[in-house]
Amino acid sequence: MILCHTIKEVRAAIKEHRKSGCEVAFVPTMGNLHTGHVQLVHEAHEAGDIVVCSIFVNPMQFGPNEDLDAYPRTLEADSEKLTEAGCHILFVPNANEMYPNGIEAQTQVNVPELVEELCGASRPGHFTGVTTVVTKLFNIIQPDIALFGQKDFQQLAVIRKMAADLCMPVEIIGVSTVRAESDLALSSRNGYLTEQELATAPQLYQTLVKIKQAIEKGGKDFDTLCAQGNEELSQLGFTPDYLSVRRQSDLKPAGPDDDELVILAAAHLGKARLIDNIAFALNHN
Ligand code: PAF
């Protein structure tokens, strides 16, 4: 695996492969890699010839009171995992390489509407930070294919819309969430949980499953189902942020006649803000 720290180095490393007609599959990450990231790399192998990954804890997508400083940085262990998973080129820029004139002076990429709700409502500016850095990374790497986890369902939707609206020549692939045996969605932020919180955390997904089952049995009052879910989460020790049944297509609130649904949740537990979702189709016949 070739390790590059500068834009110049990574462009030169990719150029060699592109000359021989290789398709480039790209996995952007913030590091502290777990099995979910490794799965993205495996799927990148299936999708393209050359796998490029990036590790960059993007300051632009963190709010002032969020965990930018605490976010785990584990480059050595990450490099080992990526080498083992068969990543060919790893790009690890620093903030100065990505934002040489500072974040305030950085041109921004903003996807309207979709970013205003759910995670966007509780983390103002977050998705602008994501879409700006992903655009920069796409321009640096120029991938044919880019892979993102479905755990960040809204992020995936925002990136798909950005790529479509801006005619970016890249295919966006969403990869299924990888879960622990307990069904807890793998996340770098799970590392903030105490042992006791780790035992509670899978209840977030169980709440989504319960709501899905109620809807499949004919439940149509989504607001009440979510209010009950929030109540149960609070009793378990979570501080719920949102719990909502949405249309998969545009993440607008779902109605009883919609059939492609996704239930999305975010909740704080101890020092961690956990997110999860469950997407499913209803057959109204
Ligand atoms: O999902 C992430 O890890 C980040 O939001 C991403 C896509 C790497 C952009 O910083």
Side-chain angles (χ1 to χ4, degrees):
M1 185 176 74
I2 302 173
L3 175 62
C4 304
H5 289 287
T6 66
I7 296 170
K8 201 172 161 195
E9 280 166 2
V10 75
R11 281 191 169 145
I14 295 170
K15 198 170 172 188
E16 288 309 306
H17 295 287
R18 213 185 297 281
K19 267 193 217 151
S20 46
C22 287
E23 282 217 309
V24 176
F26 176 46
V27 179
T29 81
M30 297 208 301
N32 193 235
L33 305 180
H34 50 66
T35 315
H37 295 108
V38 172
Q39 184 61 24
L40 291 174
V41 177
H42 287 152
E43 301 219 7
H45 261 289
E46 302 280 306
D49 306 305
I50 284 297
V51 177
V52 180
C53 297
S54 64
I55 296 180
F56 178 57
V57 183
N58 173 32
M60 197 174 170
Q61 68 188 74
F62 287 78
N65 299 318
E66 293 185 352
D67 56 342
L68 174 62
D69 292 336
Y71 201 86
R73 278 122 171 126
T74 51
L75 183 56
E76 210 175 308
D78 292 347
S79 298
E80 278 169 25
K81 284 181 192 160
L82 289 175
T83 305
E84 202 175 310
C87 168
H88 299 101
I89 299 172
L90 172 60
F91 178 45
V92 187
N94 64 22
N96 193 46
E97 185 71 9
M98 292 301 284
Y99 302 113
N101 301 311
I103 290 176
E104 294 308 315
Q106 171 63 47
T107 300
Q108 298 182 347
V109 178
N110 190 37
V111 173
E113 295 175 15
L114 251 184
V115 306
E116 274 147 33
E117 295 191 42
L118 304 167
C119 281
S122 17
R123 304 184 68 192
H126 166 68
F127 285 118
T128 300
V130 171
T131 45
T132 300
V133 82
V134 170
T135 300
K136 290 181 70 115
L137 290 167
F138 281 180
N139 285 336
I140 294 163
I141 309 292
Q142 300 188 10
D144 299 285
I145 303 138
L147 299 96
F148 296 84
Q150 283 172 351
K151 183 178 78 73
D152 297 281
F153 197 94
Q154 188 179 12
Q155 169 173 281
L156 179 59
V158 167
I159 289 170
R160 281 192 199 285
K161 179 162 165 53
M162 172 189 82
D165 285 358
L166 297 180
C167 309
M168 293 177 167
V170 56
E171 181 192 349
I172 307 294
I173 297 184
V175 175
S176 302
T177 303
V178 178
R179 297 183 181 279
E181 243 172 73
S182 64
D183 272 345
L184 174 65
L186 296 190
S187 161
S188 302
R189 289 188 167 99
N190 292 349
Y192 299 152
L193 299 170
T194 62
E195 213 171 300
Q196 200 184 341
E197 288 160 356
L198 260 177
T200 305
Q203 295 295 331
L204 185 63
Y205 182 64
Q206 296 314 332
T207 302
L208 298 178
V209 171
K210 257 202 210 162
I211 297 175
K212 171 179 177 272
Q213 287 169 345
I215 294 173
E216 283 172 337
K217 280 192 194 134
K220 291 195 186 306
D221 184 352
F222 301 156
D223 287 346
T224 302
L225 288 172
C226 289
Q228 282 164 356
N230 272 332
E231 183 57 41
E232 283 166 24
L233 286 171
S234 300
Q235 276 168 16
L236 287 161
F238 291 87
T239 306
D241 179 351
Y242 62 77
L243 176 57
S244 189
V245 184
R246 300 283 168 135
R247 305 198 296 225
Q248 283 182 36
S249 56
D250 55 8
L251 293 186
K252 294 258 188 284
D257 296 330
D258 289 316
D259 44 18
E260 302 274 313
L261 305 179
V262 55
I263 313 170
L264 304 110
H268 293 266
L269 184 63
K271 287 193 186 129
R273 180 178 181 277
L274 304 176
I275 59 171
D276 207 344
N277 66 80
I278 191 165
F280 61 106
L282 279 182
N283 186 351
H284 285 297
N285 298 330

